[in-house]
Amino acid sequence: MKKPLEGRIALVAGATRGAGRGIATQLGEAGATVYCTGRSVRGQPASGPKRPETLEETAEQVTALGGHGIAVRCDHTVDEQVIALRDRIQKEQGRLDILVNDIWGCDSISELGVAFWKLNPDHARTMLERAVLTHLITSRYLVPVMLPRNQGLIVEITDGDHFGYRGSLYYDLAKMSVIRMAFSMSRELRRTNITALAVTPGFLRSEEMLENFGVTEAHWRDGAKVEPDFIASESPSYVGRAVAALAADPHVASKAGRVFSSWALAREYGFTDLDGSQPNWGDHFARAYPGLPYRVADEAAYFTWRDSPIESVRPNWPEE
């Protein structure tokens, strides 16, 4: 049988580990050719905290699952490297169908629970560069590859499907920025067939998170003995299947500009995590913290974002 994303070309920016690796591999399982980018390659790890995962491993897993994985070392803070990546994809494929911006690299500097007047300003510069500027640069140069064919999907990976505070000013600014980025891109793409939206995983069992809890993916439930909320966690492949389902949906344009959770998309599209479960962070929150609100950024939340004064006065902006 033909796979749902067979023939599609995808770029997952930030595919070395975590959600990025999960997304890349699941796009591959759905049949896509996936360019996997990041800074950690064999024999040349990225600066900062050293992790053993490499881009080559991600690309190999994409191929093993039935797709075609291509590892490309790229520092997405450097325009010239992103331009070179764009030119390579254009030359080798002549198209780009799916762009996933998952670049992060800020776990060690998130400083959750620290008041903003005590935060390290250098961490703000680093976080905005790595987690926001990289997304802007990548979209700036890669979306034009989609425009000639007038079709495509842009996915911004964030944390949280709400507009509420996220535990630290810098972290909140970074994660809300990419939600807003997806919305703003959708406004500027509204006269095209290219859809921009944002997706959040739930409590993610990334490689680093598993190590922090002293468990493996095979025995991840033991982590709930340390942190009860861990019982509602999900593997990186879960959000990967969410992105693959969106990419295969012919009506995905109806979701343009919004932020969606892996668990809500699982309920809508019917996919499961690797172990056959269907973790739902929203339901878990309601059970674990009865009486406390969990306000999803739904249509009502987005209402005041639409039909801005500038769009009313200048309805043709941006002019093509």
Side-chain angles (χ1 to χ4, degrees), residues 126-142:
T126 300
M127 190 173 293
L128 291 175
E129 181 180 55
R130 290 181 182 175
V132 179
L133 182 63
T134 54
H135 294 222
L136 290 168
I137 291 173
T138 304
S139 294
R140 162 62 183 87
Y141 292 115
L142 272 299

mmCIF file of all heavy atoms in Angstrom, residues 126-142:
data_model
loop_
_atom_site.group_PDB
_atom_site.id
_atom_site.type_symbol
_atom_site.label_atom_id
_atom_site.label_comp_id
_atom_site.label_asym_id
_atom_site.label_seq_id
_atom_site.Cartn_x
_atom_site.Cartn_y
_atom_site.Cartn_z
ATOM 1 N N THR A 126 20.702 33.995 24.531
ATOM 2 C CA THR A 126 20.885 32.665 23.949
ATOM 3 C C THR A 126 19.556 32.036 23.582
ATOM 4 O O THR A 126 19.403 31.458 22.495
ATOM 5 C CB THR A 126 21.637 31.758 24.942
ATOM 6 O OG1 THR A 126 22.913 32.331 25.230
ATOM 7 C CG2 THR A 126 21.832 30.365 24.363
ATOM 8 N N MET A 127 18.573 32.136 24.475
ATOM 9 C CA MET A 127 17.282 31.497 24.231
ATOM 10 C C MET A 127 16.565 32.130 23.037
ATOM 11 O O MET A 127 16.016 31.429 22.191
ATOM 12 C CB MET A 127 16.413 31.571 25.482
ATOM 13 C CG MET A 127 15.159 30.722 25.385
ATOM 14 S SD MET A 127 14.224 30.646 26.935
ATOM 15 C CE MET A 127 15.355 29.734 27.993
ATOM 16 N N LEU A 128 16.583 33.450 22.958
ATOM 17 C CA LEU A 128 15.929 34.109 21.832
ATOM 18 C C LEU A 128 16.626 33.788 20.515
ATOM 19 O O LEU A 128 15.978 33.627 19.481
ATOM 20 C CB LEU A 128 15.878 35.619 22.068
ATOM 21 C CG LEU A 128 14.946 36.074 23.192
ATOM 22 C CD1 LEU A 128 15.071 37.573 23.416
ATOM 23 C CD2 LEU A 128 13.490 35.706 22.874
ATOM 24 N N GLU A 129 17.947 33.660 20.560
ATOM 25 C CA GLU A 129 18.672 33.320 19.346
ATOM 26 C C GLU A 129 18.391 31.882 18.915
ATOM 27 O O GLU A 129 18.082 31.620 17.749
ATOM 28 C CB GLU A 129 20.176 33.512 19.550
ATOM 29 C CG GLU A 129 20.992 33.181 18.295
ATOM 30 C CD GLU A 129 22.478 33.357 18.488
ATOM 31 O OE1 GLU A 129 23.040 32.751 19.431
ATOM 32 O OE2 GLU A 129 23.090 34.089 17.703
ATOM 33 N N ARG A 130 18.490 30.958 19.873
ATOM 34 C CA ARG A 130 18.337 29.542 19.524
ATOM 35 C C ARG A 130 16.895 29.138 19.240
ATOM 36 O O ARG A 130 16.633 28.340 18.332
ATOM 37 C CB ARG A 130 18.874 28.666 20.658
ATOM 38 C CG ARG A 130 20.369 28.695 20.833
ATOM 39 C CD ARG A 130 20.783 27.764 21.968
ATOM 40 N NE ARG A 130 22.228 27.796 22.206
ATOM 41 C CZ ARG A 130 22.829 27.140 23.198
ATOM 42 N NH1 ARG A 130 22.102 26.415 24.046
ATOM 43 N NH2 ARG A 130 24.137 27.202 23.347
ATOM 44 N N ALA A 131 15.953 29.662 20.032
ATOM 45 C CA ALA A 131 14.579 29.144 20.001
ATOM 46 C C ALA A 131 13.596 30.013 19.234
ATOM 47 O O ALA A 131 12.470 29.582 18.980
ATOM 48 C CB ALA A 131 14.076 28.950 21.426
ATOM 49 N N VAL A 132 13.996 31.233 18.883
ATOM 50 C CA VAL A 132 13.099 32.120 18.141
ATOM 51 C C VAL A 132 13.743 32.568 16.837
ATOM 52 O O VAL A 132 13.180 32.383 15.751
ATOM 53 C CB VAL A 132 12.698 33.345 18.992
ATOM 54 C CG1 VAL A 132 11.782 34.277 18.195
ATOM 55 C CG2 VAL A 132 11.991 32.896 20.276
ATOM 56 N N LEU A 133 14.939 33.161 16.925
ATOM 57 C CA LEU A 133 15.607 33.649 15.716
ATOM 58 C C LEU A 133 15.840 32.538 14.706
ATOM 59 O O LEU A 133 15.663 32.731 13.497
ATOM 60 C CB LEU A 133 16.936 34.318 16.089
ATOM 61 C CG LEU A 133 17.725 34.912 14.912
ATOM 62 C CD1 LEU A 133 16.938 36.027 14.240
ATOM 63 C CD2 LEU A 133 19.088 35.424 15.392
ATOM 64 N N THR A 134 16.214 31.356 15.179
ATOM 65 C CA THR A 134 16.441 30.239 14.256
ATOM 66 C C THR A 134 15.186 29.896 13.467
ATOM 67 O O THR A 134 15.249 29.593 12.271
ATOM 68 C CB THR A 134 16.905 28.996 15.017
ATOM 69 O OG1 THR A 134 15.950 28.703 16.059
ATOM 70 C CG2 THR A 134 18.274 29.186 15.625
ATOM 71 N N HIS A 135 14.033 29.941 14.121
ATOM 72 C CA HIS A 135 12.773 29.643 13.450
ATOM 73 C C HIS A 135 12.469 30.706 12.394
ATOM 74 O O HIS A 135 12.004 30.389 11.292
ATOM 75 C CB HIS A 135 11.640 29.587 14.474
ATOM 76 C CG HIS A 135 11.751 28.456 15.450
ATOM 77 N ND1 HIS A 135 10.659 27.699 15.834
ATOM 78 C CD2 HIS A 135 12.809 27.937 16.122
ATOM 79 C CE1 HIS A 135 11.045 26.775 16.703
ATOM 80 N NE2 HIS A 135 12.340 26.918 16.902
ATOM 81 N N LEU A 136 12.749 31.965 12.740
ATOM 82 C CA LEU A 136 12.512 33.052 11.797
ATOM 83 C C LEU A 136 13.404 32.923 10.565
ATOM 84 O O LEU A 136 12.939 33.051 9.425
ATOM 85 C CB LEU A 136 12.765 34.397 12.482
ATOM 86 C CG LEU A 136 11.754 34.828 13.545
ATOM 87 C CD1 LEU A 136 12.297 36.015 14.332
ATOM 88 C CD2 LEU A 136 10.426 35.185 12.906
ATOM 89 N N ILE A 137 14.689 32.663 10.805
ATOM 90 C CA ILE A 137 15.637 32.545 9.696
ATOM 91 C C ILE A 137 15.273 31.369 8.796
ATOM 92 O O ILE A 137 15.267 31.477 7.565
ATOM 93 C CB ILE A 137 17.075 32.392 10.241
ATOM 94 C CG1 ILE A 137 17.533 33.690 10.898
ATOM 95 C CG2 ILE A 137 18.035 31.989 9.120
ATOM 96 C CD1 ILE A 137 18.867 33.577 11.614
ATOM 97 N N THR A 138 14.953 30.247 9.405
ATOM 98 C CA THR A 138 14.641 29.049 8.617
ATOM 99 C C THR A 138 13.399 29.258 7.766
ATOM 100 O O THR A 138 13.384 28.914 6.573
ATOM 101 C CB THR A 138 14.462 27.839 9.548
ATOM 102 O OG1 THR A 138 15.647 27.685 10.345
ATOM 103 C CG2 THR A 138 14.225 26.562 8.752
ATOM 104 N N SER A 139 12.366 29.829 8.342
ATOM 105 C CA SER A 139 11.153 30.081 7.562
ATOM 106 C C SER A 139 11.407 31.112 6.470
ATOM 107 O O SER A 139 10.882 30.990 5.353
ATOM 108 C CB SER A 139 10.030 30.561 8.498
ATOM 109 O OG SER A 139 9.662 29.540 9.392
ATOM 110 N N ARG A 140 12.198 32.125 6.792
ATOM 111 C CA ARG A 140 12.510 33.152 5.791
ATOM 112 C C ARG A 140 13.091 32.555 4.522
ATOM 113 O O ARG A 140 12.734 32.958 3.405
ATOM 114 C CB ARG A 140 13.488 34.170 6.397
ATOM 115 C CG ARG A 140 14.246 35.053 5.400
ATOM 116 C CD ARG A 140 13.315 35.929 4.581
ATOM 117 N NE ARG A 140 14.043 36.708 3.588
ATOM 118 C CZ ARG A 140 14.355 36.307 2.369
ATOM 119 N NH1 ARG A 140 14.014 35.076 1.981
ATOM 120 N NH2 ARG A 140 15.007 37.089 1.546
ATOM 121 N N TYR A 141 13.984 31.593 4.646
ATOM 122 C CA TYR A 141 14.670 31.063 3.473
ATOM 123 C C TYR A 141 14.041 29.805 2.888
ATOM 124 O O TYR A 141 14.191 29.537 1.695
ATOM 125 C CB TYR A 141 16.147 30.801 3.797
ATOM 126 C CG TYR A 141 16.915 32.078 4.039
ATOM 127 C CD1 TYR A 141 17.449 32.358 5.293
ATOM 128 C CD2 TYR A 141 17.074 33.022 3.026
ATOM 129 C CE1 TYR A 141 18.139 33.542 5.526
ATOM 130 C CE2 TYR A 141 17.759 34.209 3.251
ATOM 131 C CZ TYR A 141 18.280 34.466 4.505
ATOM 132 O OH TYR A 141 18.952 35.650 4.730
ATOM 133 N N LEU A 142 13.321 29.022 3.696
ATOM 134 C CA LEU A 142 12.782 27.760 3.190
ATOM 135 C C LEU A 142 11.367 27.871 2.663
ATOM 136 O O LEU A 142 10.987 27.135 1.739
ATOM 137 C CB LEU A 142 12.856 26.679 4.277
ATOM 138 C CG LEU A 142 14.158 25.868 4.352
ATOM 139 C CD1 LEU A 142 14.401 25.101 3.052
ATOM 140 C CD2 LEU A 142 15.355 26.718 4.711
#
